[in-house]
Amino acid sequence: MYEKNELYRNIPKMDVFLKKEYVIKASQEYGKKPVMDIIKSHLDRIREKLEKCNNIEEAEIIVGNLDQEIEKGLTQLGKKKYKHVINGTGVVLHTNLGRAPMPEKAVQNAAALMTRYGNLEYNLDEGTRGERYNHFEDLICNITGSEAAFAVNNNAAAVLLMISSLASGKEVLISRGEQIEIGGKFRIPDIIQQSGAVLREVGTTNRTRISDYEDNINDNTGAILKVHTSNFVMKGFTESVPIKELVKLGRKYSIPVLEDLGSGVLVDLSSVGLKKEPTVQDSIDSGVDLVTFSGDKLMGGPQAGILAGKKELIAKCKKHPLTRAIRIDKFTAAMLEEIFALYQDLDFAMKNIPVLQMLSQSKKKLEEKAIQFKQEMKDSDALITIEECTGVPGGGSLPDQKLDSICVRIKKQGLQPKAVAKKLREGSPALITLVREDSLIIDMRTVFDEEISIAVQLIKQIL
């Protein structure tokens, strides 16, 4: 048996590694402690291997590879768990992939503010404390026609705050067919209960009339709530009450009429061949007292819950103690100003907000992207075909809307598509594809122009 102690003595000490150029560089970039932790873990692992090893040649290789292994290990410090993903699924608002990708210029402008101090809650004219909502409130009002507006961290929070501020301890009338569940098992009845209000169910699952609301109004009625069923469609023998009729009823009994518009949209999508979806402007025009909607769905901005409507009701919401717990941060405030600024010209917004660009992409544009992909794959031995396919808006938006699209199908002799798809998910960036029988499918609608060549290279490396 060879003498292990001699090999142990040949293992460099920590100080030796700390003087190496690649270690110094890593320490400057990531900090000394995480670098030392990685070196220590490798040294410990080497000693464990030597303890079990009884072959001198193998042991010398283990010690000889130490420097290389540590350098390789330090590269892991730069790898983040949250990384760039190329979305080849055709689901535009993919909840698991972060929903709405935001305009690059808008993100750059907002990010620049994060590296310095800013007037988040400071009134530069008066030199006094200000509101973080002032930066975008006027923009929302000008675009939607509302009297006032502000934002919290998501739409579920906006609905909770709205009911808590205006109807806590009182009854809230809502149609049975609108008691929806959104992602993560959040249910409208649970939100109403959490607000301290009492849910008063009216109508039936498939049919609710204006008389159902009026028959349930009493001295303890605090609000009428209309919930847009943006994540499902009910067909057949159905009936629901338009928001304008509810507004008339609310005025008759001096009861506030509130609307949860869910995914919320600011442009008429029927102009690009999609199903007509009620806009925030439609809600405000109907006379609704308060409407809430998401910032990161069809609006194409950051995660936020927007409240817009009557000035006195917005003021009550702002003063509620819950507002502090669910308020937006400075990056969201900056991004909302950037996004709403784009909506000052709706045609301009359609061309510059990624979600709206994807939803309105022409068949010709999709074919051009697919052709580019196929041409760049021509030196591969994989069979690439261009086909028609169908995607969806996703994110609980436009549930009955299918998006006719163009995809590329990748086939190869002996290809194991599930195994390849897994490797692509592990890449940097990750590429998410669809698997259909013996092929990989990439829907070009959700692949950005600059991502096509990257996706090609990722696939070539694995194939």
Side-chain angles (χ1 to χ4, degrees):
M1 183 175 178
Y2 68 92
E3 181 56 53
K4 289 185 179 180
N5 289 334
E6 184 64 30
L7 280 170
Y8 282 128
R9 284 192 289 270
N10 288 334
I11 298 175
K13 303 295 183 185
M14 175 71 76
D15 291 346
V16 173
F17 285 103
L18 293 178
K19 295 176 183 177
K20 292 181 179 289
E21 186 176 343
Y22 70 85
V23 174
I24 294 172
K25 184 178 179 181
S27 298
Q28 291 172 341
E29 191 167 355
Y30 308 113
K32 190 173 181 179
K33 186 180 183 303
V35 170
M36 290 178 67
D37 288 344
I38 286 180
I39 295 173
K40 184 178 182 300
S41 68
H42 276 77
L43 291 175
D44 291 342
R45 198 175 301 124
I46 284 291
R47 293 187 181 98
E48 289 175 5
K49 287 182 178 180
L50 290 180
E51 186 64 32
K52 298 175 183 178
C53 182
N54 294 312
N55 181 287
I56 183 63
E57 289 81 10
E58 183 182 343
E60 288 175 344
I61 291 173
I62 290 172
V63 175
N65 288 339
L66 178 58
D67 201 66
Q68 182 182 347
E69 289 297 318
I70 289 177
E71 185 171 9
K72 182 180 178 182
L74 290 177
T75 63
Q76 299 301 312
L77 285 173
K79 293 184 178 180
K80 300 294 188 292
K81 291 185 177 180
Y82 189 4
K83 61 183 180 180
H84 173 201
V85 169
I86 299 174
N87 178 10
T89 68
V91 181
V92 176
L93 292 167
H94 200 304
T95 299
N96 304 125
L97 300 183
R99 287 185 182 162
M102 289 175 277
E104 187 172 345
K105 185 178 180 181
V107 174
Q108 289 172 349
N109 291 344
L113 288 173
M114 302 303 104
T115 63
R116 300 291 185 271
Y117 295 111
N119 61 322
L120 177 66
E121 289 187 347
Y122 191 82
N123 187 319
L124 293 173
D125 292 332
E126 304 294 334
T128 57
R129 184 186 179 96
E131 275 193 348
R132 63 185 60 205
Y133 317 110
N134 287 345
H135 305 291
F136 53 83
E137 183 174 15
D138 288 345
L139 287 169
I140 297 176
C141 293
N142 290 336
I143 294 163
T144 66
S146 62
E147 294 178 6
F150 85 121
V152 292
N153 60 15
N154 63 35
N155 190 53
V159 176
L160 175 61
L161 176 62
M162 178 172 66
I163 303 298
S164 300
S165 303
L166 307 179
S168 183
K170 296 186 176 183
E171 293 183 355
V172 175
L173 305 186
I174 179 173
S175 168
R176 177 180 291 183
E178 295 175 3
Q179 294 178 43
I180 66 172
E181 178 180 310
I182 60 177
K185 296 184 180 179
F186 286 95
R187 296 177 173 181
I188 288 293
D190 295 337
I191 291 175
I192 292 176
Q193 182 182 22
Q194 187 65 40
S195 73
V198 178
L199 186 152
R200 170 71 73 168
E201 187 179 88
V202 303
T204 63
T205 301
N206 60 320
R207 306 203 84 186
T208 301
R209 303 178 179 85
I210 192 68
S211 59
D212 293 318
Y213 289 94
E214 189 162 18
D215 291 345
N216 281 279
I217 290 175
N218 58 59
D219 293 339
N220 196 41
T221 302
I224 297 172
L225 177 63
K226 175 78 172 174
V227 180
H228 177 50
T229 55
S230 56
N231 63 353
F232 74 95
V233 174
M234 192 180 296
K235 296 181 178 180
F237 190 59
T238 64
E239 182 179 351
S240 62
V241 182
I243 188 66
K244 286 187 177 181
E245 289 188 38
L246 290 178
V247 167
K248 288 180 183 178
L249 183 64
R251 298 287 182 273
K252 180 179 177 181
Y253 292 96
S254 299
I255 297 171
V257 177
L258 317 174
E259 184 172 22
D260 170 14
L261 204 53
S263 58
V265 63
L266 296 169
V267 296
D268 182 2
L269 295 177
S270 65
S271 64
V272 292
L274 299 177
K275 178 185 174 183
K276 167 67 177 175
E277 182 79 353
T279 65
V280 178
Q281 294 90 321
D282 292 336
S283 296
I284 297 299
D285 288 345
S286 73
V288 71
D289 294 290
L290 215 57
V291 60
T292 71
F293 57 100
S294 293
D296 61 339
K297 293 186 179 180
L298 291 175
M299 197 184 93
Q303 177 181 297
I306 319 297
L307 298 94
K310 298 290 188 285
K311 192 171 184 177
E312 66 272 18
L313 300 188
I314 290 289
K316 285 184 178 181
C317 291
K318 285 182 178 180
K319 291 177 182 177
H320 194 280
L322 186 59
T323 300
R324 175 79 179 186
I326 57 177
R327 72 179 183 178
I328 56 173
D329 68 352
K330 59 185 179 181
F331 183 78
T332 303
M335 277 305 304
L336 286 174
E337 182 178 16
E338 291 286 338
I339 296 297
F340 280 116
L342 297 176
Y343 275 102
Q344 293 178 103
D345 183 320
L346 298 185
D347 289 335
F348 187 76
M350 288 295 295
K351 296 174 183 176
N352 289 277
I353 294 178
V355 167
L356 300 180
Q357 286 178 326
M358 289 183 189
L359 289 173
S360 61
Q361 257 179 123
S362 67
K363 186 176 181 180
K364 180 181 178 182
K365 173 61 177 177
L366 294 169
E367 287 174 340
E368 289 173 354
K369 290 163 69 173
I371 290 170
Q372 179 187 340
F373 184 96
K374 183 175 181 178
Q375 287 177 339
E376 293 191 22
M377 285 287 294
K378 64 183 179 181
D379 57 346
S380 165
D381 58 354
L383 175 64
I384 310 297
T385 56
I386 297 174
E387 304 175 2
E388 293 185 349
C389 60
T390 304
V392 293
S397 305
L398 302 170
D400 203 28
Q401 179 74 59
K402 301 297 182 183
L403 301 174
D404 293 333
S405 191
I406 299 295
C407 66
V408 292
R409 180 183 290 270
I410 305 164
K411 293 182 67 174
K412 183 181 176 181
Q413 184 70 30
L415 177 72
Q416 296 180 312
K418 288 185 178 180
V420 174
K422 184 177 186 299
K423 288 183 179 179
L424 289 171
R425 293 196 301 270
E426 296 168 350
S428 187
L431 171 58
I432 312 298
T433 67
L434 301 172
V435 175
R436 295 286 186 270
E437 299 171 347
D438 59 348
S439 307
L440 291 176
I441 304 290
I442 299 177
D443 189 322
M444 302 310 295
R445 182 180 295 276
T446 47
V447 178
F448 287 90
D449 290 355
E450 63 273 17
E451 292 178 330
I452 297 173
S453 295
I454 300 172
V456 168
Q457 290 306 312
L458 289 169
I459 293 168
K460 281 183 176 180
Q461 287 171 12
I462 292 174
L463 294 185

